[in-house]
Amino acid sequence: MEFSVKHGAARKLKTACLVVGVYAGKTLGEWAADLDRGARGAFARVVNRGDVSGKPGECLLLPDVAGIDAERVLLVGIGKREGLTPEEYVKLLGKAAEALKAAHVKNAVSTLQSLVVKGRDAAWVVEQHVLVFGASAYRYTEFKSKAEGGQGLARLTFLADEAAVPSQRSAVALARAKLNGIEFMKGLANRPANRCTPTYLAEQAVALAEQHDKLTCTVLEEADMEELGMGAL
């Protein structure tokens, strides 16, 4: 999955789906309120009649809303205005990812990375968004006779205030590196035992060390393990 950060007017964004929050107590979040002005109160009416209450993780997908350029808007309950617990935040991200997957959305713009999470800094919030959505999109297809290409979310853009763009881009870059590592390890774990042999694992470790100056790799042969008394043979 590709990740990026941008600044702009939410109502003018051309995307398959725009993800915005609704606070508990039927109150539109800041980005949703901005959209609502362009939509002439459409979101406020939806919230006021109780279609979405703001409970963390509650989702409501609205297609073809007049007055905004996004094809769909996903309203996500984001709890109380004073902030979410880390557990609530990760849970609501999972629910949002599931909703996008069910709608077969290929690209989306999210504002959930700007939420307040108690006891966590802004970089952690961005990181969790990347990791949760990356995990939702992960597919192991190496030995599939027919690749499952083209399915699921392929590109996610974070919409941020202009002042927050540089720090969020840095956080996304670090999170993407972590996600790369996680996906690499998942690929090894999912590989059949007759293909993921000790020799293959050693080759992958050596290749990683060659790609990164700060990594070193030592491969032990049978004689080395016997000399160390590892008892693994």
Side-chain angles (χ1 to χ4, degrees):
M1 184 187 295
E2 298 178 10
F3 297 93
S4 61
V5 181
K6 70 182 300 182
H7 167 68
R11 69 187 78 169
K12 297 296 184 182
L13 291 177
K14 296 183 182 298
T15 178
C17 189
L18 180 56
V19 184
V20 295
V22 177
Y23 288 116
K26 301 180 181 180
T27 303
L28 295 173
E30 290 79 3
W31 291 105
D34 178 62
L35 282 182
D36 197 50
R37 286 187 284 273
R40 297 185 178 182
F43 298 108
R45 290 192 293 274
V46 167
V47 170
N48 288 335
R49 69 172 175 243
D51 291 350
V52 58
S53 67
K55 178 182 177 182
E58 184 182 18
C59 294
L60 179 65
L61 187 67
L62 302 175
D64 300 321
V65 179
I68 64 173
D69 290 344
E71 296 173 12
R72 310 169 185 83
V73 174
L74 180 65
L75 298 179
V76 180
I78 55 175
K80 297 179 180 179
R81 188 179 290 273
E82 55 264 31
L84 298 151
T85 66
E87 294 77 15
E88 287 174 332
Y89 180 63
V90 171
K91 179 180 178 180
L92 75 82
L93 288 177
K95 294 293 185 180
E98 290 174 6
L100 294 177
K101 184 187 297 184
H104 306 290
V105 171
K106 302 297 188 296
N107 67 84
V109 175
S110 177
T111 62
L112 302 180
Q113 86 291 350
S114 297
L115 298 178
V116 174
V117 179
K118 298 173 183 177
R120 298 291 188 271
D121 61 15
W124 182 91
V125 177
V126 172
E127 176 185 284
Q128 293 307 304
H129 202 322
V130 170
L131 296 181
V132 171
F133 272 60
S136 175
Y138 175 79
R139 297 291 182 274
Y140 182 73
T141 60
E142 184 177 2
F143 294 100
K144 294 280 187 180
S145 58
K146 184 178 181 181
E148 299 176 355
Q151 296 185 6
L153 191 64
R155 184 170 70 255
L156 181 67
T157 300
F158 297 119
L159 182 61
D161 292 328
E162 186 173 9
V165 169
S167 62
Q168 289 197 12
R169 283 178 176 164
S170 296
V172 166
L174 181 56
R176 175 71 257 192
K178 291 183 179 181
L179 183 60
N180 288 344
I182 291 170
E183 291 179 345
F184 177 76
M185 295 307 298
K186 284 181 176 179
L188 293 178
N190 287 324
R191 201 173 167 84
N194 65 327
R195 296 297 188 97
C196 191
T197 63
T199 299
Y200 180 81
L201 290 174
E203 291 170 350
Q204 299 306 300
V206 170
L208 276 177
E210 290 175 347
Q211 294 171 26
H212 303 280
D213 294 337
K214 295 185 178 181
L215 279 181
T216 60
C217 176
T218 301
V219 178
L220 300 179
E221 301 294 344
E222 290 187 21
D224 300 318
M225 290 187 281
E226 289 177 353
E227 183 177 345
L228 291 170
M230 294 176 65
L233 304 175

